[in-house]
Amino acid sequence: MVSSPPSLSAAEVLTIAMCFYYFGGGINLLLFFNFYLYAKDKLLIMSEGNDIFYYGDKAAPVQYDKKEIVEIRAIRPQVFGSPISQFIATTIKFSDGTVIIIPNIFTGRFALGNKLSGYNYVEEGGFPFIRTG
């Protein structure tokens, strides 16, 4: 006698799909595309030895002065050994109240922190999803 496979409820199918998504790299893809879509029309020109840097729209990047930086916060997951720990979103606040967000898709994992060493740089744990809009 041939038996049919057990049927799954919609909730069970959704749970299985979410497990595949989570453990199959879905969060990596989510963060990668989030960083990419945020940064795709932006430009960053920064060097360690120059106090002036440029960031913003490719057609007209804005000039910033490192001397005007009040605070730098690098948000990254504190899950060691996890691929998502490679994603870092850096928020820079300036003395005039301007705030910019630089995802590390522009640089290596710690390159931005090295270029901004000597300033009020704080690294904290969190999910580095960049909200736009």
Side-chain angles (χ1 to χ4, degrees), residues 44-64:
L44 174 65
I45 302 171
M46 181 185 289
S47 69
E48 202 170 330
N50 192 347
D51 285 337
I52 302 297
F53 70 97
Y54 298 88
Y55 180 68
D57 186 53
K58 283 181 185 177
V62 178
Q63 178 178 312
Y64 296 98

Side-chain angles (χ1 to χ4, degrees), residues 43-102:
L43 173 75
L44 174 65
I45 302 171
M46 181 185 289
S47 69
E48 202 170 330
N50 192 347
D51 285 337
I52 302 297
F53 70 97
Y54 298 88
Y55 180 68
D57 186 53
K58 283 181 185 177
V62 178
Q63 178 178 312
Y64 296 98
D65 190 341
K66 291 180 187 177
K67 294 176 192 167
E68 301 296 321
I69 293 174
V70 174
E71 179 183 64
I72 304 167
R73 280 201 186 277
I75 311 294
R76 78 176 186 91
Q78 298 293 321
V79 183
F80 298 104
S82 170
I84 66 170
S85 66
Q86 303 298 314
F87 292 94
I88 303 171
T90 303
T91 303
I92 302 175
K93 294 180 185 177
F94 294 90
S95 58
D96 66 356
T98 303
V99 176
I100 60 174
I101 300 171
I102 303 176

Side-chain angles (χ1 to χ4, degrees), residues 1 4-5 13 18 27 38 44 61 71 74 76 82 101-103 112:
M1 179 164 191
S4 61
V13 170
M18 291 300 290
I27 292 177
Y38 181 80
L44 174 65
E71 179 183 64
R76 78 176 186 91
S82 170
I101 300 171
I102 303 176
L112 194 59

Side-chain angles (χ1 to χ4, degrees), residues 8-9 17 24 26 37-38 40 46 59 62-63 65 83 97-98 107 109 114 121-122 124 128:
L8 298 173
S9 70
L37 292 173
Y38 181 80
K40 76 175 185 174
M46 181 185 289
V62 178
Q63 178 178 312
D65 190 341
T98 303
T107 64
R109 183 174 173 198
N114 293 338
Y121 184 89
V122 176
E124 61 185 42

